[in-house]
Amino acid sequence: MDWFLTILGIVLLIMLHELGHFLVAKATGMRVERFSVFFPPSILKLKRGETEYAIGAIPLGGYVKITGMSPQELVHVDARVADRTYFMKAPWRRIAVILAGPLVNIAIAFVLFAAVLMSSSLIGKLTLANLDPNTEAVLPSTQVVAIDKGMPAAHVLKLGDQILTVEGRPATVLSAERRISKHRCAGPQVEGCLAAKPVHLTVRRDGRVIPISVRPRYLKAAKRTLIGFEFGAKGKHFGVAAAASASISAMWHATTQTVTSLGRAITSSKERKQLHSIVGITEFTEEAVASGPGRALIVIGYVSLVLGVINLFPFLPLDGGHILWALSEKLRGRRVSLAAMWRFSSIGLLLLFFLVVSGIHNDISRIVG
């Protein structure tokens, strides 16, 4: 079921991306010949009006075929639909059509990030905080979430206890750790020695406030005395405006990190080892789905964001290449030849192909062990 939901999520991202192109193309009066999820050969076709809807056999993306996407096609276009071809439309209309796909993916990421921030999903907020450490989506909590076996806490604390005070003062994560570590062993601070005096706590357990006294133990690795438990965390409350702002911040951080990492991967073998293909991305997404809806939505949102950003790279046949082509025509007042655009795009495409092959190699190496 997790695999099914994962594949469904990725397919939806592709469909919505292409749907953005499709709807704006129709709105601007262009003739759409085909709307395809995945690449040919087609395994399923259905024609409605002038548009053929298809599902391809190669699950590496999708496309919308608009009549007259290049000047060469115009020679063979029926004169009755010539004014509805892509290349006969004004540059701003072409830019709107091409930009619509990536913007849909970016909008999906924004909505999913904001929705998780406004939800009660702690794991979802933790996932977003890991994606962008500057997003304070999680606050420390004085609730006990783990107890170390063999440590003093194992005899006096229970999971779910809320630490209220330490040495008579209200407890925070930092103040509790500081006050506990002030308790020292009577003699030399050696591994396992118990503090000379106990630390006094009050905890809330099952609705009751309970006083507890316990002697901390010195651990050489930590270089201080400990009771032996871990504090938890709680999700920060976000209103609509705060969630929107934090979502934009996280998207910007993720985008800059992704672009920077891809740039470094071109020259650094260490960075290239971190790349993944669609196989690895699918596996990670499946793990996120299995972890619950909060984490799954953040991961799917991130995949959508990356899909949108990479499609904006200014190389044909990516969306960014078509946008650059139309902008160049608008600024120059005349069209740029297709040959010139492909020459410009060739270096970028080779680099992207190199990164894609590296990601595939990494996933194959990991799978075969």
Side-chain angles (χ1 to χ4, degrees):
M1 178 58 74
D2 293 336
W3 271 103
F4 172 77
L5 293 175
T6 300
I7 298 299
L8 178 62
I10 293 175
V11 169
L12 281 174
L13 291 182
I14 296 171
M15 287 183 63
L16 291 171
H17 175 100
E18 300 305 332
L19 186 62
H21 292 312
F22 176 82
L23 292 177
V24 178
K26 288 286 191 180
T28 54
M30 295 183 187
R31 182 176 184 269
V32 181
E33 296 180 14
R34 175 177 290 184
F35 180 104
S36 179
V37 178
F38 303 151
F39 292 134
S42 299
I43 57 177
L44 183 63
K45 296 181 182 179
L46 178 64
K47 190 160 187 177
R48 286 289 182 270
E50 63 186 10
T51 304
E52 180 182 82
Y53 301 87
I55 297 177
I58 303 175
L60 295 177
Y63 68 97
V64 170
K65 176 66 173 68
I66 303 172
T67 303
M69 284 290 287
S70 68
Q72 289 85 340
E73 290 183 51
L74 297 179
V75 178
H76 309 288
V77 169
D78 189 323
R80 290 171 296 181
V81 298
D83 62 336
R84 297 181 57 210
T85 59
Y86 174 85
F87 224 81
M88 293 301 292
K89 295 295 183 180
W92 73 265
R93 290 180 184 268
R94 282 180 263 154
I95 292 172
V97 170
I98 299 302
L99 196 57
L103 286 183
V104 166
N105 288 123
I106 293 170
I108 289 171
F110 171 77
V111 170
L112 293 182
F113 287 1
V116 171
L117 287 172
M118 289 188 291
S119 75
S120 60
S121 173
L122 177 59
I123 191 170
K125 293 179 181 181
L126 279 169
T127 305
L128 187 61
N130 288 333
L131 183 64
D132 178 16
N134 296 321
T135 301
E136 295 183 357
V138 179
L139 301 174
S141 166
T142 58
Q143 186 176 46
V144 177
V145 296
I147 299 174
D148 298 332
K149 293 182 179 180
M151 291 293 287
H155 305 290
V156 294
L157 293 178
K158 292 184 178 181
L159 295 178
D161 282 353
Q162 189 82 31
I163 308 297
L164 301 178
T165 67
V166 179
E167 301 294 17
R169 296 190 177 183
T172 65
V173 172
L174 292 178
S175 68
E177 291 177 349
R178 186 171 61 249
R179 292 191 180 108
I180 291 171
S181 65
K182 284 184 178 180
H183 288 256
R184 315 280 287 178
C185 300
Q189 300 291 102
V190 297
E191 179 73 19
C193 70
L194 291 174
K197 295 181 180 180
V199 60
H200 302 287
L201 314 172
T202 58
V203 304
R204 179 179 288 114
R205 180 184 299 165
D206 299 328
R208 297 179 297 128
V209 176
I210 302 173
I212 289 175
S213 295
V214 57
R215 293 169 66 190
R217 176 173 292 166
Y218 180 80
L219 294 182
K220 188 176 181 180
K223 297 182 180 180
R224 59 191 176 96
T225 53
L226 300 168
I227 294 176
F229 69 95
E230 292 182 17
F231 284 119
K234 60 182 179 180
K236 181 180 177 181
H237 173 73
F238 284 85
V240 175
S245 176
S247 178
I248 292 172
S249 175
M251 289 168 62
W252 176 251
H253 178 83
T255 298
T256 54
Q257 287 292 103
T258 299
V259 173
T260 302
S261 297
L262 289 175
R264 288 198 300 260
I266 294 172
T267 57
S268 170
S269 60
K270 183 178 180 181
E271 287 287 340
R272 283 198 296 276
K273 290 180 181 178
Q274 306 303 315
L275 297 175
H276 294 281
S277 67
I278 187 64
V279 175
I281 292 171
T282 302
E283 287 186 350
F284 294 141
T285 307
E286 190 271 338
E287 291 174 5
V289 170
S291 299
R295 185 163 186 260
L297 291 177
I298 294 298
V299 171
I300 290 173
Y302 176 65
V303 171
S304 184
L305 177 64
V306 171
L307 178 63
V309 169
I310 290 179
N311 262 287
L312 287 174
F313 286 4
F315 314 119
L316 290 175
L318 298 177
D319 293 335
H322 289 285
I323 292 171
L324 179 62
W325 197 2
L327 278 175
S328 299
E329 178 184 329
K330 182 67 176 177
L331 294 174
R332 296 173 78 243
R334 54 193 174 90
R335 290 175 178 170
V336 180
S337 72
L338 183 59
M341 282 300 302
W342 275 112
R343 283 197 299 272
F344 172 80
S345 299
S346 59
I347 296 176
L349 284 176
L350 284 174
L351 292 175
L352 283 176
F353 179 75
F354 172 63
L355 296 178
V356 169
V357 170
S358 297
I360 294 172
H361 175 267
N362 291 340
D363 288 329
I364 292 175
S365 298
R366 176 177 49 82
I367 291 170
V368 302

